[in-house]
Amino acid sequence: MEEKEKFTEELEQEVEKALDEILSGAKKRELTEEETESYALLEPVEEDETLQKELEELIGEILTIEWEIIPEIAEEAYNKCRKLRSSHLDPTTLKLLDFLERVLEEVRSPEKVEARHLELIKKAGDILYRYKFENLPAEEVLEELEVLSQEEEVIREETKEEEPELELELELEPEKPSAEAEPVMEKEKEETPSPISPPSAPGFEEKFFEQLLRTYERIVAVEELLKEGLFKGSRKLLLKARKEIEDFLGENYQEELREREKRIQEFLRQQEKKVVEVPPLEKVLWCQTLSQELFIPLDEVAFTGEIKDYWRRSLSEGIFPLKLLKGGSFWRRWFGKIGPKLQGELAQKSEKELANLVFKTNKPLTSETQLVLLWKEGKGLALLVNEYKIESVDSRMEWLPAEPPFIGKTIKEGSEIFLFSVTHT
């Protein structure tokens, strides 16, 4: 038994010695990408802190990207992908970056932007995040990436097929300018001077006139599309018009156009920063006047009701004596009460005080049908409206500056609504 064990041990030693000699004489070589991926237990290459930080920034940009700013963010993210791909990264990360770079390159041109591209970019960014920071297995990453690649191919094919329809061309033949129309054009050009002077070339005036007509057509079309809530179609139409104007003006005006573009973008950014702080609001009275929609703090509303025939004479003169709330009959004019019909601070006053109060109206009565009485901190107003109702206010609602007497304005369901307080009149 002992001799058998000794023989086995000597045999193992001889095998190990032979293997050492074979391996020591073998040539060393780098593994190919395919060979590397075949090793399921191979650990990803460790990145340094700088690479990790750059990956975090890239993922942050991708996951927070919004439709309106795809071209701007896409350019930055695209450049970061290219830079990272030249770094020492594992094959799976490189495949993800290759995919992102390919899609981001497609959306660098605004006219090629599709909402579906945004979904692909965000999905790829999410996979990259889970792989690098949540230890998603490389096999699952490659499976999900294959699905995304198939989706990208479908989008590319469908876009090719739909391209003629998505241009939303208005194939209207512009009329030739008549002799009577020419002086009008000259007058308009004098009244609206522009730093850009169109080049003088044979036939340029006719082409310029055609371009104005086509641009006008698109503006009308965009307005109609926006009324229907078709924002994607509107954006495509605007981008096409913008590109046509750029091509029409030529290379000499590209620098001027980019400068104007920057000025407009900066102006809009400044407008976005001008957010107005308003008092905390939970409930408001929404009112529709002849020309505007208003929000009024509910604690300022003292009375609401339909306009009575016997109020019309006073309201047409721009006033509303509070004693009219007593009633229209002889008995009520003498013995009716005002206080029970009121609410808020105004309801706390005595009948004698109330009977002597006369409210000014926001305008003389015309076709309005409803009356809203406002009272706060000793200030009152009779507001003439066509509709009103109580609404809740979203605390996340953003308020922008507005001209006095309004505190601010906001957008709700596509409508501009002004916040009004009688204390600010």
Side-chain angles (χ1 to χ4, degrees), residues 155-402:
I155 292 171
R156 188 180 290 112
E157 291 302 318
E158 288 182 356
T159 303
K160 284 180 184 177
E161 294 173 4
E162 294 174 2
E163 192 171 353
E165 296 176 8
L166 292 178
E167 288 182 354
L168 296 174
E169 278 282 9
L170 296 180
E171 299 297 342
L172 302 178
E173 189 66 32
E175 295 180 5
K176 302 294 181 184
S178 63
E180 296 177 355
E182 288 178 1
V184 176
M185 290 298 298
E186 291 299 324
K187 184 178 179 182
E188 288 178 356
K189 285 165 67 179
E190 289 174 7
E191 293 175 352
T192 314
S194 170
I196 294 182
S197 302
S200 55
F204 179 81
E205 286 187 7
E206 184 176 342
K207 292 178 182 177
F208 184 63
F209 189 78
E210 282 188 17
Q211 185 63 47
L212 284 177
L213 288 176
R214 292 178 69 82
T215 303
Y216 180 79
E217 290 170 4
R218 287 191 170 82
I219 290 171
V220 173
V222 168
E223 184 179 7
E224 293 301 315
L225 288 171
L226 287 174
K227 285 179 184 176
E228 301 297 324
L230 302 176
F231 301 106
K232 180 180 174 182
S234 302
R235 191 168 189 273
K236 282 185 171 291
L237 202 57
L238 286 173
L239 289 170
K240 184 165 182 62
R242 171 177 166 174
K243 189 174 186 307
E244 279 188 356
I245 291 172
E246 289 177 353
D247 294 344
F248 177 75
L249 290 172
E251 289 295 326
N252 294 337
Y253 293 92
Q254 297 306 307
E255 187 176 344
E256 172 70 21
L257 292 174
R258 296 292 81 78
E259 184 60 34
R260 289 177 177 232
E261 182 180 339
K262 288 178 183 177
R263 288 205 302 266
I264 291 169
Q265 290 171 348
E266 180 59 29
F267 171 77
L268 293 176
R269 278 193 289 269
Q270 292 299 325
Q271 294 301 307
E272 289 173 2
K273 292 175 184 176
K274 294 178 182 177
V275 178
V276 177
E277 292 293 331
V278 302
L281 298 169
E282 292 184 5
K283 297 282 187 180
V284 294
L285 189 74
W286 171 85
C287 298
Q288 174 70 66
T289 69
L290 291 178
S291 58
Q292 293 166 323
E293 292 183 51
L294 306 178
F295 274 164
I296 299 168
L298 207 55
D299 64 343
E300 295 187 17
V301 180
F303 171 85
T304 58
E306 187 174 352
I307 293 173
K308 310 295 183 186
D309 288 337
Y310 62 92
W311 297 354
R312 292 185 175 278
R313 181 176 177 182
S314 296
L315 293 175
S316 299
E317 295 173 359
I319 60 171
F320 183 77
L322 207 55
K323 62 185 180 183
L324 290 177
L325 288 181
K326 287 185 177 184
S329 67
F330 176 82
W331 175 264
R332 290 187 179 277
R333 285 202 301 269
W334 282 99
F335 302 105
K337 299 290 184 182
I338 303 172
K341 298 178 181 178
L342 303 174
Q343 62 185 28
E345 291 181 9
L346 194 58
Q348 307 305 315
K349 291 184 175 295
S350 67
E351 284 293 316
K352 184 177 180 181
E353 287 181 285
L354 294 173
N356 290 322
L357 282 176
V358 178
F359 283 64
K360 288 185 178 179
T361 63
N362 59 311
K363 61 180 289 297
L365 177 66
T366 51
S367 60
E368 294 87 352
T369 59
Q370 309 292 326
L371 177 70
V372 177
L373 294 181
L374 308 179
W375 182 270
K376 183 76 172 179
E377 298 175 3
K379 291 187 176 182
L381 180 70
L383 188 65
L384 304 173
V385 302
N386 283 323
E387 293 180 69
Y388 63 82
K389 62 182 176 181
I390 295 175
E391 286 192 3
S392 298
V393 177
D394 188 341
S395 59
R396 297 168 298 178
M397 189 172 282
E398 191 173 77
W399 294 93
L400 301 174

